């Protein structure tokens, strides 16, 4: 810090010291140098009583009079002290230059002027010292207040981020439960905590210098190996805004629609090379990228599959509306529109890759983003997955908060995954050593209460869970009628599907010895309640029979996307028998189409019975589609004429003599035709 800044902090003002006749001499050296070389320079007036000490130089020597200082000067014999400064600056000003008996009227009388100047200067210096002390104290108080304000601001920032405080933040400073943070959408942020920034960004820094892309994105980082980006005809528009929510929809231009039609034809051909050819002309067509990503994933090329999904996300993010926000949780995309489904599926596939890559915190942020796009309908049923990602990311507070806020209107406890994951979160939270003992005991009690309720509501989960964890249960538990094999067999098919989905995804979270011992204690507590005839047991049994008759379509869609074998095997026959397309699995029945795919001109579909017969005999035969009006009648006649000519040619070449008779040795006359 420079001396000038230190003087300002101390409250010292420059330019208020008395100057001598030679004070107006300017020097090119700096003021700080003048203070350091004070005894060596002969510019300025010596202070009284200080032989060899010089006055402090000022920046602007023509602004020497301070009206406030003149008003505060003490009065000597009816006149103000310190006015001799004006004589040195403006000796011609007689109204201020004459000061009665204290000053000499002649300029040459040094014996009378020097004592008066010294007395006034000493009074001036004493007054300045008092002012400097007051200013120092005031600046000290201001600096202390400033430091307090800075500490308060830092505390607010820490409270909002929740980094330093283990407990929950105040309700006033809490963000929305579906609020998404930009920095957590980047997997490098999570990988830096595991491996360090140098290991993650070491290879990316030289690449970023050569990158030339139109805009910065949050979901993906563009790569230099991608084709040069050009707008593919994908855009987004704002439909309406009401009740603090904004409803958006993606749109396809005519050029993009043509590419979409070609993509559908390529999918029907069941040949991935046709999609590759389409991507050569339309490198940022979203559905083609997603479909080809699945093909690469089936061929165990995970790196290429992830790269194609990131390219699809980049294409869609470049088409965002300026008002569309990823983090606010107030932007909606209707899944019934086919143009919006590609964004859902791209986010889901990216989330799956991030989870497999070992980035559960980033995957949790993507899961919140998908859920925030349509939380009421939840078309991909992300509530079946968000608890698993929160436990893997060790974000127990978020899972508990989501359960507390949504249990009243969403009945999350009726889902097996939430019924078992929330008490597990409470138990794991009670194992943290940085929490106070009272909070640990409270979390342990809450965990025991919730796991007992979950075991009472879903008794068919226990034995499959222990089997998945390679744990052999006690004979008293496995042979009991409540937890025995009958509990798993008697549960409805829809409930079995949810249980298989949860166990296939999250069973390894229960393998810790401390978790198993805690679960064993609560299982015995539930058995005692069942043997005692607790009425809650019968109430839960009746509820299971009523609630889980049939799973909704979004759960079936989630099971198909999850690709968990146990859950897929439990799908009903009406889902497994129909064709499921990877780019649009189980589309909603009330789809909102913005444009319709043109019908393919097929001679088989438009011909009559005779045409179909001759089509089977003559594969090269085509019958033109009739048009409207007079031209339609002419085309129809031409088609009939061509049909008759084809029949005549066929009959001319058709000879019955070419056919061989049956074998004579056949007694019944039922010989074989060669």
């Amino acid at each position: 810090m420079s001396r000038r800044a230190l003087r300002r902090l101390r409250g010292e003002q420059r330019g208020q010291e008395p100057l001598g006749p030679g004070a107006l001499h300017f020097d090119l050296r700096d003021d700080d140098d003048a203070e350091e070389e004070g005894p060596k320079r002969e510019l300025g007036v010596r202070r009284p009583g200080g032989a060899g000490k010089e006055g402090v130089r000022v920046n602007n020597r023509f602004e020497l009079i301070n009206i406030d200082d003149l008003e505060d000067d003490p009065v000597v014999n009816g006149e103000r002290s310190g006015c001799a400064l004006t004589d040195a600056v403006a000796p011609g000003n007689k109204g201020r230059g004459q000061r009665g008996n204290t000053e000499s009227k002649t300029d040459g009388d040094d014996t009378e002027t020097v004592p008066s100047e010294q007395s006034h200067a000493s009074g001036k210096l004493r007054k300045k010292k008092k002012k400097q002390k007051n200013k120092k104290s005031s600046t000290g108080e201001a600096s202390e207040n400033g430091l307090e304000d800075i500490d308060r601001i830092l505390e607010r920032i820490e409270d909002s981020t929740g980094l330093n405080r283990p407990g929950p933040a105040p309700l006033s400073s809490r963000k929305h439960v579906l609020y998404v943070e930009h920095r957590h959408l980047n997997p490098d942020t999570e990988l830096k905590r595991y491996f360090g920034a140098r290991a993650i960004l070491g290879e990316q820094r030289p690449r970023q210098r050569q990158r030339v892309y139109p805009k910065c994105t949050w979901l993906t980082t563009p790569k230099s190996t991608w084709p040069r980006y050009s707008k593919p005809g994908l855009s987004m528009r704002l439909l309406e805004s009401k009740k603090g929510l904004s409803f958006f929809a993606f749109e396809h231009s005519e050029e993009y629609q043509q590419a979409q039609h070609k993509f559908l034809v390529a999918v029907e051909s069941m040949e991935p090379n046709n999609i590759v050819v389409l991507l050569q002309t339309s490198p940022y067509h979203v559905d083609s990228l997603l479909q080809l990503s699945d093909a690469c994933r089936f061929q165990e090329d995970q790196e290429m599959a992830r790269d194609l999904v990131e390219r699809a996300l980049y294409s869609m993010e470049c088409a965002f509306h300026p008002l569309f926000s990823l983090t606010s949780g107030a932007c909606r995309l209707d899944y019934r529109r086919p143009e919006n489904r590609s964004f859902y599926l791209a986010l889901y596939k990216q989330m799956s890759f991030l989870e497999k890559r070992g980035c559960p915190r980033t995957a949790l942020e993507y899961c919140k983003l998908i859920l925030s796009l349509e939380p009421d309908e939840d078309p991909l049923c992300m509530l079946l997955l968000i608890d698993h990602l929160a436990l893997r990311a060790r974000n127990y507070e978020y899972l508990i908060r989501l359960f507390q806020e949504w249990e009243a209107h969403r009945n999350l406890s009726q889902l097996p995954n939430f019924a078992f994951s929330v008490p597990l979160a409470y138990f794991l939270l009670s194992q943290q050593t940085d929490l106070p003992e009272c909070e640990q005991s409270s979390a342990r009690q809450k965990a025991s209460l919730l796991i007992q309720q979950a075991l009472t509501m879903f008794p068919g989960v226990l034995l499959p869970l222990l089997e998945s964890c390679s744990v052999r249960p006690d004979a008293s538990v496995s042979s009991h009628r409540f937890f025995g094999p009958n509990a798993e067999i008697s549960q409805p098919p829809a409930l079995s599907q949810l249980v298989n989905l949860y166990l296939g995804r999250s069973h390894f979270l229960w393998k810790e010895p401390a978790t198993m011992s805690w679960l064993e204690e609560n299982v015995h507590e539930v058995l005692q309640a069942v043997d005692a005839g607790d009425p809650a047991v019968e109430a839960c049994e009746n509820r299971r029979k009523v609630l889980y008759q049939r799973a909704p379509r979004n759960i079936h869609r989630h099971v198909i996307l999850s690709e968990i074998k146990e859950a897929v095997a439990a799908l009903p026959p009406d889902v497994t028998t129909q064709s499921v397309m990877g780019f649009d699995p189980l589309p909603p029945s009330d789809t909102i189409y913005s444009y319709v795919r043109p019908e393919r001109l097929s001679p088989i579909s438009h011909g009559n019975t005779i045409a179909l017969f001759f089509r089977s005999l003559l594969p090269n035969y085509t019958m033109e589609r009739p048009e409207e009006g007079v031209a339609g009648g002419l085309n129809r006649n031409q088609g009939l004429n061509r049909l008759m000519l084809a029949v005549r040619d066929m009959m001319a070449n058709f000879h019955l003599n070419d056919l061989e008779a049956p074998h004579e040795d056949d007694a019944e006359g039922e010989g074989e035709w060669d």
Side-chain angles (χ1 to χ4, degrees), residues 460-484:
V461 178
L462 179 62
L463 292 184
L465 176 61
L466 296 178
E467 183 180 358
S468 300
C469 297
S470 302
V471 176
R472 180 178 297 178
D474 295 338
S476 60
V477 175
S478 59
S479 61
H480 198 277
R481 60 179 179 83
F482 189 73
F483 287 117

Side-chain angles (χ1 to χ4, degrees), residues 12 23 27 76 94 107 109 129 219 257-258 287 309 337 349 373 396 398 413 420 461 560 572 638 644-645:
E12 298 177 357
D27 196 356
V76 180
K94 296 181 181 180
D107 299 336
D109 194 357
K129 288 180 181 179
L219 296 176
Q257 292 178 15
Q258 297 297 328
D287 287 342
V309 171
R337 298 180 178 272
K349 294 178 186 297
L373 296 177
Y396 312 127
Y398 174 77
S413 59
F420 283 87
V461 178
I560 292 174
Q638 293 176 0
M644 296 303 296
L645 292 175

